[in-house]
Amino acid sequence: MKEELAILKRILAERRSIKPEDYSGELIDDHFIKLILEQANWAPTHGYTEPWRFVVYKGEALNRLGQFLATYDQPDPKAEGFNQIRFDRKANRPTMASHVIGVAMKSGTNPKIPEIEEVAAVAMAVQNMWLMTHTLGLGSYWSTGEVAFSEALRDFMGFDEEHKAMGLFYLGKPAKENPKGRRISEIESKVRWEN
């Protein structure tokens, strides 16, 4: 028990966001992607709604994803202020990864389960993927922001109006060691005990 606890504590403390720019370019075997997704499916979920939905992009699909992201950011190349360097950076980012997993949510129909609980369940599914990725010695990064929650990304991923886009999960083999973690303050400053 003591050994398992030490391993789990280490995994939780050492997990980091590793961005595509820090991947080696090596491909990850699809077997490991399936293993990562299986762990996502074990996330907690109220009422067994299991609201997480995923789309795996690899190979040529990474180029299509990159073009979508770049065009979403700057739809008109003839517009004043168009930045070709920024466009290319956004277009190429997915191709730096071995795989990118599109994350979406489909809420259940039980009116007793509010949407925030479904959002939390999807976030826990992503955390499970992150922890498994780290345990396998791989790098990953959950990319969010404006496009991550857009109807445009939802549509690009091939989901209907019953779904919400929840971002992109990049995976690759790290080119260097994980950065050291830090927290601004200790847990004691964020907890109040009452008896």
Side-chain angles (χ1 to χ4, degrees):
M1 174 76 167
K2 202 178 232 184
E3 186 178 330
E4 289 90 350
L5 179 61
I7 292 168
L8 179 58
K9 284 175 64 177
R10 182 178 48 77
I11 290 168
L12 292 170
E14 292 179 359
R15 187 231 32 97
R16 295 287 169 273
S17 292
I18 308 296
K19 296 184 178 181
E21 296 80 9
D22 295 320
Y23 299 159
S24 69
E26 295 176 72
L27 296 180
I28 299 169
D29 190 285
D30 288 348
H31 165 77
F32 294 110
I33 303 303
K34 290 175 187 173
L35 181 61
I36 291 163
L37 289 165
E38 286 171 6
Q39 301 320 301
N41 204 39
W42 284 105
T45 170
H46 285 121
Y48 294 98
T49 60
E50 301 176 18
W52 43 83
R53 300 292 186 271
F54 304 107
V55 179
V56 180
Y57 297 94
K58 65 179 203 173
E60 180 55 36
L62 294 171
N63 288 317
R64 292 193 304 273
L65 176 60
Q67 284 302 306
F68 163 78
L69 294 172
T71 303
Y72 179 88
D73 182 58
Q74 296 185 93
D76 184 3
K78 294 181 175 49
E80 184 177 331
F82 179 83
N83 184 324
Q84 187 67 50
I85 294 171
R86 179 177 166 157
F87 185 91
D88 293 343
R89 187 177 70 243
K90 291 203 177 266
N92 292 327
R93 193 171 208 213
T95 66
M96 295 175 181
S98 172
H99 294 71
V100 177
I101 300 175
V103 181
M105 175 185 75
K106 183 177 182 186
S107 293
T109 57
N110 185 338
K112 293 181 179 179
I113 300 175
E115 185 179 71
I116 187 64
E117 292 184 12
E118 303 286 58
V119 171
V122 173
M124 287 186 270
V126 172
Q127 176 74 345
N128 280 8
M129 292 195 304
W130 230 329
L131 294 172
M132 181 51 94
T133 301
H134 173 70
T135 302
L136 293 170
L138 304 172
S140 55
Y141 169 65
W142 188 9
S143 178
T144 56
E146 180 188 344
V147 69
F149 306 109
S150 70
E151 291 180 3
L153 178 59
R154 179 202 67 201
D155 294 346
F156 176 83
M157 291 191 294
F159 292 113
D160 63 24
E161 296 78 19
E162 293 182 355
H163 295 77
K164 292 191 176 183
M166 300 284 289
L168 299 166
F169 192 73
Y170 290 77
L171 295 116
K173 293 189 177 181
K176 56 187 177 185
E177 278 189 40
N178 280 1
K180 297 284 183 216
R182 68 184 181 96
R183 289 293 176 258
I184 303 301
S185 58
E186 297 296 322
I187 188 63
E188 289 78 12
S189 68
K190 302 166 189 163
V191 177
R192 185 180 73 244
W193 292 72
E194 295 190 12
N195 291 317

